[in-house]
Amino acid sequence: MLARVRQIIRGTYERLLESELSDPPAHVAVIQDGNRRYASKRGGEPTDGHRAGAETTEQLLEWSDELGIEEVTLYAFSTENFARPDGEREELFDLISKKLREFADADRVHRSGVHIRALGDIDRLPERVTEAVDYAESRTADYDSLYLNVALAYGGRAELLGAARDVARRVAAGDIEPGDVAVSTIESELYDGPTRDVDLIIRTGGDKRTSNFLPWQANGNEAAVYFCTPYWPEFRRIDFLRGIRTYQNREQSWRQTRARRARALVTALGTSTVPDARRTLDRLRSALPSSERTVEGNGVAESEPEMSD
Amino acid sequence: MGLYDQYLAMRIRVVDTAPPETVALVLTERDLLEDGAYETMAQFLGWTFAFGADQVVVYVSVLDEGVIPTLRRELKSMESSQRIAVRTPDDEARADAPVQVSIGLGGKHEFATAVQGIAREVEAGALEPDALTGDDIERRLVFPSAPDLVVKTGAERLSDFMIWQSVYSELHFTDVNWRNFRRRDYLRALRDFQERQRRFGE
C-alpha cells in the first residue's frame, strides 16, 4: 500500500518536473559510476553490478529520446579500466559486446533513429568488442535523430595526445605550417564522435570529478555538471529529470551572471576599454532585473544604438 | 576565529589524508572588481599554504580582454608573501612561481599553443611525431602542475582552464561570493577533499 502511494507521488512529481522542462541540453555526457559498489552493497560480484547498470543505460536512451536530447555520450570503458582484474575486465568486454549487438538490433533504436558510434582507442580492445562496434555502427549509420557515443578505451589525455600527434604528422608531411596550429586545428583531429560540445555532464555514485572524460568538449565548453549520489543501477528517470532541470537553471543564471559581469566591466572601465563587454551587456540585458538594466556613471544610456556589431 | 573554525581546522589536521599540494581557484573578473577582492585573495593564498599546499594556480576568466591590464596591475600590487607569476593570452612562457595566475588564458588556447611549439620542433626535425608523449605536451604547458583540488565560485560548471592538467582533480563548488569567502569556506573545501577517496578511475 505504502509503496503504491509512493509510486503515485513519484509519478506526480515526475510529471511536474517534466512539465517545467523546455529547451533540453543538446548533448549530455554520463559518467555511470557505482556499479561495483552497488553490487557489493548487495553481496554480489562486480559483474552483477555491471549487468544491472546496463539496464539503466537502456532506460537512459529511452528517456533521452523522449526529452528530445540530440546526443548522449556514455563512459563505458576508460583507459584506466584496463587496470581492472582480468576476470572482471573480460566479463565487461563480453557485456559491452552483447549490449552493443542488442542495441543495434533493438526495434526501439531503429524506430527512434539512434546512430551508434564508438569513441576512443578502439584498436586496444579485443576483437569481439571491435566486431560488435562495427556491427552497431554499420546497422545505424544512416540515422541522425539521436547520436549515442559509447566511449570505449577512452581517456581524455589519450585523445588530446592523439590529436597532437596527428597535427605533428601533418606538419611533418608539409601539410600545415606550425604557425597555423590553432584551437580549431586540434578540434579537427579529435576522435570522430561527438559532433557537439557537451552541455551537461552527469555523474552518479557521489564523486565530484570528471575522471579524464571529455576535457576538451566538456571543460572547454564550460559544461554544467550534475553530481548525484545514487549508484548507476539505482539512477531513475526522476534523477535524470533533476539533472536536466539543474542544467536549465544554470543556463538561466548563466545568462544573468554574464550580463552582470558585462555590466560590472562597463561600469568600472567604460565602453571604450571593454567594447566586447558592452556588446554582451546589450545582448543579454533582458536577463537582468529592470533595476540593473542601466549603467550609471559613464553617461551611457540604455537606448544608445549599438553600431559595431 | 570562531569555535567552529577551530573545530574544522582541527579535524583537517588530525585526518591522515594528505592535504592538496596543488590548489586551483577559478574566479571571474567580476569577483575581482568588487571591493575587498584582493584582501580576500591575499588571505586565501595564506590559508592554502598554511594548510599544506605548495602551489596555487588562479584562473580569472574574462568576458573582455580590455580588463586584463587593470587586473594585472592590481594583482602585481597585491601584498603576498609568495612570488606570483601572472600570464595572459599572449604569454607562452612557462609560469614558475608558488602562485601562478592566468588572466583569461584558457585551457584550449594553452593546449593549442603547446602543440604549436611541438609543431615547430617537428618541422625543425628535432621531434618525431610517432615518438610524441604526454611529457612533450606537459613540458610546453604554461601552467605545469596538475591541481589536486579545484575550488570554483559561482555555478556548478566546468571551466576552460588547464584542461589537460585537471582531468583527475577533485572539484569543489561554492556559492559564496568571492569577497565574502572566509577561512571556514576554504576549510570546508579541504574537509570535502579529504573525505573523498581518490581512486583515479580504477
Side-chain angles (χ1 to χ4, degrees), chain A residues 266-305:
Chain A
V266 173
T267 307
L269 302 170
T271 298
S272 57
T273 313
V274 286
D276 289 349
R278 179 77 219 185
R279 276 192 286 279
T280 304
L281 178 60
D282 289 334
R283 193 162 36 97
L284 298 178
R285 196 188 306 271
S286 62
L288 290 172
S290 54
S291 61
E292 295 179 34
R293 287 189 191 173
T294 50
V295 175
E296 287 158 27
N298 289 287
V300 190
E302 184 183 353
S303 55
E304 181 190 326

Side-chain angles (χ1 to χ4, degrees), chain A residues 33 36-37 78 80-81 84 157 160-161 164-165 167-169 171-172 177-183 186-187 197 201 203 207-212 215-216 218-225 227 250-251 253-254 258 260-262 264-265 268-269 273-277 280, chain B residues 27-30 33 59 61-67 70 107-109 111-113 115-116 118-120 122-123 128-134 137-138 146 155-173 192 196-202:
Chain A
D33 199 17
R36 296 190 299 172
R37 281 174 285 162
S78 70
E80 287 84 359
N81 288 153
R84 293 265 172 96
R157 282 189 184 166
L160 293 178
L161 178 59
R165 265 194 207 126
V167 172
R169 286 194 193 104
V171 171
E177 294 291 320
D180 293 337
V181 174
V183 164
I186 311 289
E187 216 137 45
D197 286 339
I201 283 206
R203 180 178 188 137
D207 283 329
K208 294 189 177 175
R209 51 177 180 260
T210 56
S211 300
N212 206 11
W216 185 278
N219 296 58
N221 188 40
E222 303 188 351
V225 287
F227 295 116
R250 303 244 165 87
E251 274 310 281
S253 68
W254 188 73
R258 278 183 93 77
R260 289 206 169 114
R261 284 172 65 185
L265 278 171
L269 302 170
T273 313
V274 286
D276 289 349
T280 304
Chain B
L27 300 170
T28 67
E29 80 290 89
R30 179 164 170 254
L33 289 174
Y59 177 55
S61 72
V62 301
L63 262 184
D64 189 314
E65 295 198 353
V67 74
T70 308
K108 284 185 183 177
H109 182 81
F111 186 80
T113 306
V115 175
Q116 202 178 73
I118 286 167
R120 278 197 204 97
V122 168
E123 192 186 42
E128 278 297 312
D130 291 337
L132 196 64
T133 65
I137 289 171
E138 281 164 17
E156 297 199 3
R157 283 183 170 276
L158 301 176
S159 57
D160 178 25
F161 176 47
M162 305 217 284
I163 57 170
W164 171 281
Q165 301 91 317
S166 70
V167 296
Y168 298 114
S169 304
E170 293 286 345
L171 308 176
H172 180 85
F173 299 98
D192 205 19
R196 294 184 208 162
Q197 297 229 326
R198 307 193 71 202
R199 296 181 302 139
F200 283 104
E202 280 161 34

Side-chain angles (χ1 to χ4, degrees), chain A residues 168-244:
Chain A
R169 286 194 193 104
R170 285 175 57 190
V171 171
D175 198 19
I176 47 169
E177 294 291 320
D180 293 337
V181 174
V183 164
S184 57
T185 325
I186 311 289
E187 216 137 45
S188 66
E189 300 297 345
L190 297 174
Y191 293 131
D192 292 335
T195 44
R196 297 173 192 80
D197 286 339
V198 174
D199 300 304
L200 169 68
I201 283 206
I202 295 176
R203 180 178 188 137
T204 60
D207 283 329
K208 294 189 177 175
R209 51 177 180 260
T210 56
S211 300
N212 206 11
F213 193 38
L214 303 172
W216 185 278
Q217 300 88 341
N219 296 58
N221 188 40
E222 303 188 351
V225 287
Y226 181 67
F227 295 116
C228 60
T229 49
Y231 298 139
W232 178 244
E234 300 168 331
F235 186 78
R236 295 164 307 166
R237 186 168 185 273
I238 201 161
D239 300 308
F240 188 58
L241 293 177
R242 280 196 193 109
I244 305 290

Side-chain angles (χ1 to χ4, degrees), chain A residues 100-111 113-117 131-144:
Chain A
L100 276 171
R101 286 179 185 277
E102 274 178 25
F103 278 171
D105 290 336
D107 285 343
R108 189 160 38 74
V109 164
H110 295 276
R111 236 185 2 253
V114 181
H115 185 136
I116 302 174
R117 297 178 296 195
E131 281 174 6
V133 165
D134 288 343
Y135 181 74
E137 287 188 340
S138 64
R139 283 219 60 187
T140 61
D142 295 334
Y143 298 138
D144 61 3

Side-chain angles (χ1 to χ4, degrees), chain A residues 12-29:
Chain A
T12 312
Y13 177 51
E14 236 178 272
R15 275 195 299 279
L16 178 70
L17 263 182
E18 213 177 317
S19 68
E20 292 172 354
L21 299 179
S22 55
D23 288 330
H27 186 177
V28 180

